[in-house]
Amino acid sequence: MMRMSSLQALHQNMRQIGIETQRFEVRVGAAEFACLFSVAANPYCLALTTRGQHPQFCRFDVRPGYIISNYLGENYGPLRDALYVDGRAGEGLEGARFLAQLNDVIPHVAQQGRILQPEEIVRVHPNVDDADRPYFDRWERRGQGPTERNLQKTRIILGDDARTFSETNRVSSIWSQLPTNRAWR
């Protein structure tokens, strides 16, 4: 297990400016990564997408205490390919070493303009209902009010205030496949 102190510092700064998601770029070894950090659901999520001709996607659950497992699992192959690391050519890829290097380059300061777009959020959170419809469209009264899954999607994409609004007013969020440029308020 690796404690990611940089994610903790970044999250503290994100709270100060009132955001739940942050996008940033880092370089580890020979690879550049576009990163997405989201605290909109438990566990928190850190997603890395390699930059270059053949992008690879890796997702890490961030547990309480900003802990990420050293075991790379299905992330091993994409990371090995991105880092040009192979057991026959010098140093092999080790989870603890990679995460320590990553921790060293994650920014500690969030930037307001680097928040995630809805289509990025649903990619990072695979359990979101109707992931093909990431754009808020409108509120609608349906039956007994919003389902738990609808509330979860509302919170993940729009935040706690929108979820509270949905619950309090017993309205469901309706989503679109196409950008609507509509705010929830």
Side-chain angles (χ1 to χ4, degrees), residues 24-149:
F24 54 92
E25 290 81 31
V26 297
R27 176 184 283 279
V28 177
E32 292 182 26
F33 297 94
C35 305
L36 308 172
F37 179 51
S38 173
V39 298
N42 275 324
Y44 298 162
C45 172
L46 175 64
L48 311 175
T49 303
T50 60
R51 302 179 63 99
Q53 285 187 318
H54 306 289
Q56 301 285 331
F57 179 78
C58 302
R59 183 182 189 283
F60 297 93
D61 287 340
V62 182
R63 302 286 177 193
Y66 304 91
I67 302 295
I68 295 179
S69 172
N70 290 337
Y71 176 68
L72 297 175
E74 62 189 30
N75 292 325
Y76 181 85
L79 286 172
R80 180 201 58 221
D81 294 346
L83 296 165
Y84 306 105
V85 174
D86 127 20
R88 298 168 308 196
E91 296 181 9
L93 175 60
E94 293 178 12
R97 187 174 2 173
F98 170 75
L99 292 172
Q101 291 170 338
L102 182 61
N103 190 54
D104 288 344
V105 295
I106 290 174
H108 293 191
V109 178
Q111 297 178 3
Q112 187 71 39
R114 301 262 214 170
I115 58 176
L116 303 182
Q117 298 304 309
E119 66 275 12
E120 296 170 308
I121 294 171
V122 296
R123 189 174 60 152
V124 173
H125 294 282
N127 297 332
V128 169
D129 254 6
D130 299 323
D132 63 328
R133 296 177 178 272
Y135 303 102
F136 176 76
D137 186 18
R138 67 188 182 282
W139 297 110
E140 188 173 287
R141 290 201 188 281
R142 290 192 168 176
Q144 300 297 316
T147 65
E148 189 55 42
R149 292 182 67 89

Side-chain angles (χ1 to χ4, degrees), residues 172-183:
S172 295
S173 53
I174 306 300
W175 303 89
S176 172
Q177 291 179 334
L178 303 173
T180 62
N181 297 319
R182 293 187 181 135

